[in-house]
Amino acid sequence: MNVLVIAPHPDDEVIGCGGAIRLRVERGERVSVAFLTSGELGLKQLSREKAWKIRETEARKAARILDLAELHFLRQPDWTLSDHASATAAALKPVLEEARPDVIYLPHPADGHPDHQATLPILRTALKRSRRLKPELLAYEVWTPLAAHDVAVDISKVMPCKLRALRAHRSQLGGFDYVQAVSGLNQFRGALAGKCRFAEVFQTLHIGR
């Protein structure tokens, strides 16, 4: 099974589906990540190139913790993906053709960041240009909890690994306690959706609509 995570920014892959993809790795599945941007606005005080270097280095550290197979950094403009949708889809197409994913994880289209909202239309365009690919699409939550979900994954046994990977994104932890927020969300999802200690939830999306 080939799995591709589409992350608009470094750390989205851990926050949204770090537990689920770690479980897939443990089952022997191949998991890759495509970062649409390198999150330069998360380090506004630095030049774009310096911000890229820091955030991509952190993403690689997190990937080693999760034991991911491959990372792709597309370096599209942070915050304005919708204005660069065609170029981003063109950059994503060869990644899709290389990864040949059976499953794709991506932010849900109502998530509270414009780049997250732009991801599904960008992916649909890229998939139309790669017509032989028919992956399952699973939408994850980052800024805005899903209003409805149809998949719940018990991540209790890999939650410590997920939090270690999240802490690898060190530059983003100073202004906001992501560890507490993610722990709380996954505990809430575990109690109500997974009937377990920690869970991640997903919404199945359709390529054509």
Side-chain angles (χ1 to χ4, degrees):
M1 181 81 74
N2 293 325
V3 179
L4 178 66
V5 180
I6 299 181
H9 317 92
D11 73 14
D12 292 332
E13 81 289 2
V14 180
I15 295 169
C17 57
I21 60 178
R22 175 60 195 173
L23 290 172
R24 287 182 177 275
V25 169
E26 291 184 357
R27 294 199 297 265
E29 299 179 29
R30 187 179 194 277
V31 180
S32 302
V33 182
F35 295 101
L36 302 186
T37 85
S38 289
E40 62 268 19
L41 294 185
L43 292 169
K44 296 178 183 177
Q45 73 276 20
L46 301 179
S47 69
R48 182 180 64 176
E49 290 73 18
K50 288 181 179 179
W52 281 349
K53 183 176 181 180
I54 291 171
R55 300 214 63 187
E56 290 175 7
T57 297
E58 291 172 345
R60 292 187 181 96
K61 288 179 181 177
R64 285 195 292 271
I65 293 168
L66 296 173
D67 199 18
L68 305 183
E70 192 168 8
L71 306 182
H72 305 268
F73 296 99
L74 305 189
R75 290 185 169 181
Q76 298 299 305
D78 192 359
W79 196 264
T80 58
L81 279 180
S82 61
D83 295 334
H84 300 86
S86 182
T88 306
L92 183 59
K93 178 177 178 285
V95 175
L96 293 170
E97 293 175 345
E98 177 185 337
R100 309 293 302 171
D102 302 291
V103 177
I104 294 177
Y105 289 90
L106 71 157
H108 73 86
D111 204 57
H113 190 295
D115 289 346
H116 298 191
Q117 296 163 19
T119 300
L120 179 58
I122 288 168
L123 175 61
R124 283 176 171 156
T125 299
L127 286 171
K128 285 177 182 177
R129 297 174 183 176
S130 306
R131 295 180 182 278
R132 289 171 291 179
L133 298 177
K134 301 293 182 183
E136 179 184 11
L137 305 185
L138 293 174
Y140 58 77
E141 52 191 1
V142 179
W143 287 102
T144 307
L146 279 160
H149 58 82
D150 55 355
V151 177
V153 178
D154 181 354
I155 63 166
S156 302
K157 76 170 186 173
V158 296
M159 190 65 183
C161 181
K162 172 173 178 167
L163 293 181
R164 286 198 304 274
L166 182 57
R167 290 187 180 99
H169 291 281
R170 183 178 176 182
S171 70
Q172 301 305 295
L173 301 180
F176 186 82
D177 193 343
Y178 283 101
V179 173
Q180 183 181 37
V182 170
S183 298
L185 177 61
N186 291 162
Q187 188 173 19
F188 174 79
R189 292 306 195 184
L192 294 186
K195 309 305 179 186
C196 58
R197 188 173 181 192
F198 296 102
E200 291 170 346
V201 300
F202 304 95
Q203 181 184 52
T204 303
L205 301 178
H206 301 282
I207 295 173
R209 65 179 192 275

